[in-house]
């Protein structure tokens, strides 16, 4: 991701090479925060470009006929803020069938929506949380 103080419609040609050099000088290093490091003096290009943060996100997506479950683990390191590290563990549940029926106007009232919601939460509880607890030490 590139952040600039200026607004560009298209990245000027004189920026392509320095940005490419900055990216190519990165080393994959699982022993450092964020998993990327730069050789001394290569973490910036002149006064114009420097590495401000490194993000490493891992996703797993599970799709079923009535819902989508997305698990995300993000390891972010902000070098502009005293090397602050942020780890995010996130679960997103999309109840696709309920959403589809609501958009199509096929759900007759709140009671049916509540029942469908309860069924979806019960499914997540039984299949994910209970099984996870059995596998945990």
């Amino acid at each position: 991701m590139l952040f600039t103080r200026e607004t560009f419609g298209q990245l000027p040609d004189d920026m392509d090479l320095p940005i490419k050099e900055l990216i190519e000088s990165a080393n994959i290093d699982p022993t450092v925060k964020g998993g990327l490091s730069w050789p001394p003096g290569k973490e910036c290009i002149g006064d114009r470009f420097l590495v401000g943060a490194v993000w490493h996100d891992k996703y797993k997506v599970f799709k079923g006929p009535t819902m989508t479950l997305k698990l995300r683990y993000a390891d972010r390191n902000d070098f502009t803020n005293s090397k602050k590290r942020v780890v995010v563990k996130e679960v997103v549940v999309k109840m696709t069938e309920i959403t589809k029926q609501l958009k199509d106007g096929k759900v007759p009232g709140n009671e049916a929506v509540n029942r469908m919601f309860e069924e979806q939460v019960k499914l997540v509880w039984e299949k994910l949380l209970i099984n996870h607890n059995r596998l945990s030490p």
Side-chain angles (χ1 to χ4, degrees), residues 37-50:
S37 65
W38 281 260
K42 295 284 188 171
E43 65 276 350
C44 62
I45 303 289
D47 294 340
R48 200 159 187 191
F49 302 102
L50 67 100

Side-chain angles (χ1 to χ4, degrees), residues 65-81:
T66 60
M67 77 171 69
T68 300
L69 182 68
K70 183 165 107 175
L71 308 174
R72 180 171 69 118
Y73 174 85
D75 186 1
R76 300 178 185 152
N77 296 287
D78 185 353
F79 300 119
T80 60
N81 190 2

Side-chain angles (χ1 to χ4, degrees), residues 16-29:
D16 282 347
L17 187 59
I19 292 172
K20 188 176 181 181
E21 287 177 17
L22 189 61
I23 293 168
E24 289 178 351
S25 66
N27 298 315
I28 297 174
D29 185 354

Side-chain angles (χ1 to χ4, degrees), residues 100-120:
K100 181 178 180 257
Q101 289 188 18
L102 287 171
K103 284 182 179 178
D104 293 346
K106 294 181 180 178
V107 179
N110 289 339
E111 188 175 313
V113 173
N114 288 341
R115 185 175 27 78
M116 290 183 346
F117 180 75
E118 286 173 5
E119 289 171 4
Q120 296 294 304

Side-chain angles (χ1 to χ4, degrees), residues 74-98:
D75 186 1
R76 300 178 185 152
N77 296 287
D78 185 353
F79 300 119
T80 60
N81 190 2
S82 302
K83 299 194 179 213
K84 182 180 178 184
R85 183 176 186 186
V86 177
V87 175
V88 176
K89 295 177 183 178
E90 179 178 270
V91 177
V92 176
V93 178
K94 293 184 180 180
M95 298 181 181
T96 53
E97 185 62 28
I98 293 174

